[in-house]
Amino acid sequence: MLKCLVYMTVILSCTLAKHPHILFILMDDQGYGDIGYTYSTNDVHTPLLDELASKGRKLNRHYTSWLCTPTRASIMSGRYPIELGIQHDVFESNTEECLNERELLMPEVVRHNGYATHLVGKWHLGYARWSCMPCMRGFDTALGYTSGATGWISHKVGSYYDFYECATSPEEGLTWDVLTKDKGIYSNFLYNKRVKKIINNHDPNTPLFLYLPMQSVHSSYYAPENYYTCSDNKRCTMQAMLNSAEDLISDVISYFEEAGLWEDTVLLYASDNGGPQSTYHSNGHLRGYKSTLWEGGVRTPSFIYSLNDRILSDELRGTETDCYFHVADWYQTIIALSGGWHKYERATGNEMPAGLDSIDQSYYLINKDGDTGTCPRKEIMLHIDPVKRVAGYYKNNMKLLVGNQDSTNSCSGTQFYPLNIDSIDLDVIQLFNLTADPNEANDISLGNPNIVTDMVNDLAIYLKKQRPLQCQLPTIDGSYPNPVVPYYVPWDFKDGYLPSSAFKKL
């Protein structure tokens, strides 16, 4: 497998005269019906995104986790969330939760490949320690917020501000312009200003990786008045938020064009999970919603686009693929687009991490010779949650769901959760043929016992790979957020609380 990966990277490197600039846009909570192109009956309009998707390549089977932290962790680490201890929930405030510092993150490798790396938007992968922050995990700069959502105007979570700019040390790191010149300014305007500054200051001879994890279209549901085209229901607010998001994306593309970068750029677009159970959102005809393992919770809009036929073959422009693409695959795919592993390995003496779940799909997605009719990925271990005792697994055209999908169990810091076959409730099993039944209306498990047995046996292998749950790490009362400023900042920003040894055991 490793030899195949290296071979494909070499082919890709030979195909591209120089490695492309990479613009990765990750929408927040955009459901399958919260974009124009997925269904002709959709009640929202996204003309820019529809045009890019129609002239690029659509990923019709793009799968994520059911919530944003585990999805983002998979993108950055190339691993399924179960191997990171993020099986159950998102990272919460006032906890020791953090994407394990032992993991080699994708931007660290991309930076070794000579790229300038920048993050503008949402992190949500931990801020308990300075070493958890994005500028210590491979990004040259980062501006945005650390939690799941922050106020569009207030930039607050509760009574504390969550909006920061970071660098690589506490001395030069966090700044709080939101308390001064940025106070009261709409988030998307701040992201716009930041991207413009990055592009204007960028050396065009250096490849650029810009990660734009959008605040749109997560709650709270808000957009400035000028983005509204109707006002009679909550979908009008969603449309206004999409209008604002497209306005930002349009400006970002303009900045790339003005700097002479756009023709050598590949745009990667996806959403981090399905839309929540809310009248603001729509997952189209798909069953379920965010925080569930039904298709509506984990199948999201995604496409790849480039003007340059050396990056995206003309023969593949305007096409779509029904092959599986798991969100962890962005890890290896982006690294391959940036030049592969050899520079990192040569500079550090370290090899590519073992046991990655990510598959490099770059050659298949962008090169006409790579689309041979055979899909790179045959299975997806969708999720395992020992708290709710549920799991999801895809193989070929079949989807297996285990456990009560309506479970509302919440994580307890004191309860014992087994990390083996007892993690899930095998008394409740459902099987769906997604080719014949994409809306998961007909459970065919009783008529296909051999398929069920085969898929449960496959799932059992992954059950053994689980790591201890981060949701059981302690909450620290009274010492965090940091009392120095009314901000969510790492504990070690100033003298104060040091995390317990519990995290080191993960």
Side-chain angles (χ1 to χ4, degrees):
M1 179 67 186
L2 179 58
K3 290 182 179 179
C4 292
L5 177 63
V6 172
Y7 177 65
M8 290 303 179
T9 301
V10 169
I11 292 177
L12 186 66
S13 298
C14 294
T15 302
L16 301 178
K18 62 178 181 179
H19 298 299
H21 306 295
I22 302 170
L23 172 60
F24 186 14
I25 298 175
L26 185 68
M27 294 290 284
D28 200 347
D29 283 5
Q30 184 178 36
Y32 213 70
D34 290 335
I35 194 170
Y37 76 79
T38 50
Y39 296 108
S40 61
T41 56
N42 282 353
D43 59 349
V44 295
H45 305 283
T46 52
L48 173 61
L49 296 175
D50 294 354
E51 180 180 9
L52 292 169
S54 69
K55 295 179 179 179
R57 193 165 197 212
K58 300 173 187 174
L59 282 61
N60 292 338
R61 293 287 181 181
H62 180 269
Y63 285 100
T64 67
S65 184
W66 58 3
L67 291 167
C68 50
T69 295
T71 285
R72 292 158 200 270
S74 287
I75 291 171
M76 288 293 141
S77 70
R79 299 190 188 278
Y80 290 135
I82 61 167
E83 298 172 43
L84 304 165
I86 316 176
Q87 297 96 306
H88 176 64
D89 206 349
V90 300
F91 285 171
E92 300 290 351
S93 305
N94 297 17
T95 72
E96 296 182 14
E97 294 172 309
C98 171
L99 179 54
N100 198 309
E101 292 102 320
R102 290 195 297 267
E103 295 294 334
L104 176 64
L105 301 198
M106 174 259 291
E108 298 179 70
V109 183
V110 172
R111 187 159 63 180
H112 271 285
N113 284 340
Y115 277 67
T117 58
H118 302 276
L119 181 154
V120 181
K122 176 175 175 175
W123 178 234
H124 208 191
L125 290 175
Y127 50 97
R129 296 173 293 284
W130 193 267
S131 55
C132 302
M133 296 291 282
C135 288
M136 296 299 291
R137 310 303 302 270
F139 288 102
D140 295 330
T141 69
L143 177 139
Y145 56 107
T146 61
S147 57
T150 192
W152 285 98
I153 299 293
S154 69
H155 311 299
K156 282 186 174 182
V157 179
S159 59
Y160 285 85
Y161 288 99
D162 184 9
F163 206 87
Y164 71 96
E165 178 177 359
C166 81
T168 55
S169 71
E171 290 72 30
E172 59 181 314
L174 293 172
T175 61
W176 301 289
D177 286 346
V178 71
L179 293 176
T180 53
K181 65 181 181 180
D182 290 341
K183 188 175 183 180
I185 299 177
Y186 177 55
S187 294
N188 277 359
F189 297 162
L190 297 177
Y191 305 141
N192 192 316
K193 180 175 71 173
R194 178 65 168 201
V195 172
K196 185 176 184 179
K197 179 180 178 181
I198 289 171
I199 301 299
N200 286 345
N201 294 335
H202 181 71
D203 177 359
N205 295 314
T206 299
L208 171 65
F209 174 56
L210 176 58
Y211 176 43
L212 188 58
M214 303 276 281
Q215 191 168 342
S216 307
V217 286
H218 198 288
S219 62
S220 57
Y221 299 105
Y222 171 82
E225 187 174 343
N226 62 297
Y227 287 112
Y228 279 80
T229 55
C230 62
S231 59
D232 54 343
N233 58 50
K234 292 179 179 179
R235 290 294 278 172
C236 289
T237 300
M238 176 55 60
Q239 180 66 69
M241 295 178 74
L242 288 167
N243 292 341
S244 171
E246 286 213 320
D247 199 19
L248 172 58
I249 294 170
S250 177
D251 282 349
V252 170
I253 292 173
S254 295
Y255 301 147
F256 272 77
E257 289 174 334
E258 292 165 6
L261 306 178
W262 186 238
E263 188 172 341
D264 294 317
T265 295
V266 58
L267 165 63
L268 315 173
Y269 182 95
S271 177
D272 67 341
N273 47 247
Q277 188 179 26
S278 164
T279 52
Y280 289 100
H281 289 273
S282 169
N283 293 306
H285 305 311
L286 301 180
R287 182 177 181 178
Y289 41 84
K290 175 183 178 179
S291 77
T292 74
L293 297 181
W294 301 110
E295 292 292 277
V298 296
R299 182 179 168 190
T300 71
S302 181
F303 61 85
I304 183 170
Y305 170 86
S306 179
L307 273 175
N308 195 325
D309 64 1
R310 290 184 296 103
I311 300 174
L312 177 62
S313 295
D314 280 339
E315 291 86 347
L316 297 179
R317 199 175 304 279
T319 65
E320 51 193 66
T321 172
D322 289 322
C323 289
Y324 286 139
F325 189 102
H326 186 264
V327 71
D329 295 343
W330 289 121
Y331 181 92
Q332 289 281 38
T333 299
I334 290 173
I335 289 173
L337 288 169
S338 74
W341 285 93
H342 63 282
K343 286 186 179 179
Y344 169 80
E345 292 175 342
R346 188 165 59 241
T348 66
N350 299 321
E351 295 183 351
M352 180 179 71
L356 292 174
D357 301 303
S358 178
I359 294 176
D360 171 18
Q361 299 213 33
S362 58
Y363 191 64
Y364 168 78
L365 288 176
I366 68 176
N367 194 296
K368 62 181 177 63
D369 296 326
D371 187 2
T372 61
T374 301
C375 294
R377 179 179 280 279
K378 307 298 183 186
E379 62 160 11
I380 293 177
M381 197 295 297
L382 181 60
H383 205 57
I384 297 168
D385 180 4
V387 177
K388 292 186 176 182
R389 301 195 68 212
V390 297
Y393 178 66
Y394 297 90
K395 187 174 185 180
N396 299 322
N397 61 334
M398 294 294 182
K399 178 178 181 179
L400 180 76
L401 289 178
V402 178
N404 177 12
Q405 299 301 313
D406 296 322
S407 171
T408 58
N409 292 353
S410 58
C411 184
S412 166
T414 58
Q415 185 170 335
F416 171 72
Y417 297 107
L419 303 178
N420 51 34
I421 194 69
D422 296 325
S423 297
I424 56 178
D425 182 4
L426 288 170
D427 291 332
V428 183
I429 286 182
Q430 299 176 80
L431 182 70
F432 301 95
N433 182 329
L434 293 180
T435 302
D437 180 25
N439 301 328
E440 300 170 292
N442 302 304
D443 173 16
I444 58 173
S445 58
L446 292 180
N448 295 275
N450 292 338
I451 294 177
V452 169
T453 299
D454 177 57
M455 295 181 74
V456 168
N457 288 340
D458 288 345
L459 187 61
I461 296 172
Y462 289 104
L463 286 163
K464 299 174 184 178
K465 296 183 178 182
Q466 293 184 87
R467 304 292 292 169
L469 290 159
Q470 291 212 40
C471 64
Q472 292 190 289
L473 291 172
T475 297
I476 309 303
D477 296 322
S479 60
Y480 181 72
N482 197 296
V484 177
V485 287
Y487 250 81
Y488 284 104
V489 296
W491 281 314
D492 53 0
F493 180 71
K494 294 288 184 180
D495 293 337
Y497 180 80
L498 292 176
S500 75
S501 59
F503 185 82
K504 298 177 183 177
K505 298 176 183 177
L506 295 183

